[in-house]
Amino acid sequence: MSEPILEIENLTKVFAGGFKALDSVDLKISKGEIFALLGPNGAGKTTLIGAVCGLVRPTSGTIRAFGDDLSGNWRSARARIGLVPQELSTDMFEPVRRAVAFSRGLFGRPSDPARIEEILKSLSLWDKRDEQIRRLSGGMKRRVLIAKALAHDPELLFLDEPTAGVDVELRRDMWRLIGRLRDQGVTVILTTHYIEEAEEMADRVGIIRGGKLLMVDDKQSMMARLGRTEAHITLAAPLAELPPEIARFPVHLDSTGLDLCYRGGDGTGLGKKEVADLTKALTRANIDYVGIEISDSTLEDIFVGLVEEPS
């Protein structure tokens, strides 16, 4: 793993009234990686992003970006960070090109009309460059926010629910754009409700619930640790109980005696091998079956299982 571009240690944020939005969060992000932060509404995703981007003052803990402690070097570090917020927050009467160019200058970058044109074209905004933002569709307004975040060529880019409520075309454009940013060495941290986006794009995934970071790992390791294979075997005739040679497998019989459910493995293919061994054991025990359905856990299954566990 390359050197960290962002280091968060023991980060806590308690709002007025005692609500703890972040609870001792530790996180390291490597330069050039794409990191997906998953969690239900109110989990702390936006608060975490706001703390790094200077929008939220932490109660305690440290944040280091590009090797500098943000508590003392916030302005210089912020010029190297881009943010696409969840909410549409921009001057709606400003023409698109002027708004994006202003964002570039806001962070001390020199005027570069060619670069602004390149960004607008990459987001299918060039034809709308002289339109007031208020006249654009919701999806086009979201594209403007992305263009503004990219205008000063950030090294670290936060995308807070960038495709929430937008059309499929923009989601696909976003995936392509993130792929290009990866190729350019930009580090991307995104929050999303679309688990397939994390599976498609992210190098590592973090799962947060109630302000606590429950797990951080690469997708394959997470699947290996928490993934499972599930199989439902429909028996030809009901069983009153399982014989010992079948009961040794991680299975249970439903109340009808006809559905034998297997749940095991580790997300690496071990489960399917064990299901094959189970069917052989059924044959040796002269237990006929008429159907079998097998499925493997997805990242979404793991996510749902973690966030729905009682605290």
Side-chain angles (χ1 to χ4, degrees), residues 1-300:
M1 185 178 289
S2 63
E3 75 274 14
I5 196 171
L6 177 65
E7 299 173 89
I8 297 172
E9 295 182 1
N10 201 31
L11 189 66
T12 298
K13 175 60 183 178
V14 181
F15 286 101
F19 173 67
K20 186 176 285 188
L22 295 174
D23 188 355
S24 303
V25 172
D26 292 317
L27 179 63
K28 286 187 179 181
I29 303 295
S30 295
K31 181 176 173 58
E33 81 167 310
I34 297 177
F35 181 83
L37 185 62
L38 308 179
N41 288 335
K45 304 186 298 294
T46 299
T47 303
L48 180 60
I49 290 175
V52 177
C53 294
L55 304 175
V56 173
R57 177 172 293 183
T59 303
S60 62
T62 59
I63 305 172
R64 295 176 64 85
F66 317 105
D68 293 327
D69 189 331
L70 293 195
S71 63
N73 297 279
W74 179 81
R75 290 188 181 277
S76 60
R78 182 63 180 88
R80 302 166 69 182
I81 298 173
L83 168 64
V84 180
Q86 248 186 83
E87 302 298 328
L88 293 170
S89 54
T90 188
D91 184 349
M92 292 295 173
F93 290 89
E94 192 80 4
V96 171
R97 177 164 48 181
R98 188 186 302 169
V100 176
F102 177 79
S103 287
R104 181 176 178 85
L106 189 63
F107 292 100
R109 301 284 286 171
S111 176
D112 189 343
R115 176 61 179 145
I116 299 302
E117 179 178 344
E118 180 184 358
I119 291 170
L120 294 179
K121 285 182 175 178
S122 74
L123 291 163
S124 303
L125 284 169
W126 185 244
D127 291 343
K128 306 288 187 181
R129 60 190 180 274
D130 296 320
E131 288 273 354
Q132 288 184 339
I133 296 171
R134 68 188 179 95
R135 299 187 183 278
L136 302 180
S137 67
M140 284 295 176
K141 288 173 182 172
R142 177 70 61 182
R143 290 171 191 258
V144 173
L145 290 184
I146 297 167
K148 284 165 62 69
L150 294 175
H152 62 292
D153 298 316
E155 299 167 54
L156 174 60
L157 178 65
F158 286 95
L159 303 170
D160 193 5
E161 298 285 355
T163 58
V166 301
D167 56 78
V168 173
E169 181 184 0
L170 176 54
R171 290 178 66 190
R172 290 174 178 164
D173 284 349
M174 279 295 306
W175 292 1
R176 286 192 289 267
L177 175 62
I178 289 172
R180 291 196 298 271
L181 291 171
R182 180 210 296 269
D183 294 340
Q184 296 165 14
V186 177
T187 305
V188 179
I189 301 175
L190 67 96
T191 72
T192 179
H193 278 110
Y194 298 107
I195 311 299
E196 70 270 23
E197 289 185 345
E199 289 188 290
E200 175 75 21
M201 296 181 292
D203 300 306
R204 289 192 303 150
V205 174
I207 298 177
I208 189 170
R209 181 193 67 189
K212 293 183 178 181
L213 203 54
L214 303 180
M215 175 176 291
V216 175
D217 215 334
D218 66 81
K219 291 173 293 186
Q220 267 59 49
S221 297
M222 193 174 288
M223 294 297 293
R225 276 200 288 159
L226 299 178
R228 293 291 181 269
T229 296
E230 187 167 303
H232 288 272
I233 300 173
T234 304
L235 304 180
L239 286 178
E241 61 180 0
L242 294 176
E245 61 268 37
I246 304 302
R248 68 182 180 86
F249 291 93
V251 296
H252 72 268
L253 197 62
D254 78 344
S255 59
T256 68
L258 286 170
D259 183 47
L260 185 64
C261 178
Y262 165 93
R263 191 171 191 274
D266 61 359
T268 64
L270 177 63
K272 288 184 178 178
K273 179 182 181 302
E274 198 168 34
V275 170
D277 292 339
L278 170 60
T279 59
K280 292 175 184 176
L282 288 170
T283 300
R284 288 194 298 268
N286 294 317
I287 300 173
D288 292 333
Y289 58 92
V290 294
I292 182 169
E293 294 182 4
I294 304 177
S295 62
D296 289 320
S297 299
T298 64
L299 183 59
E300 182 167 6

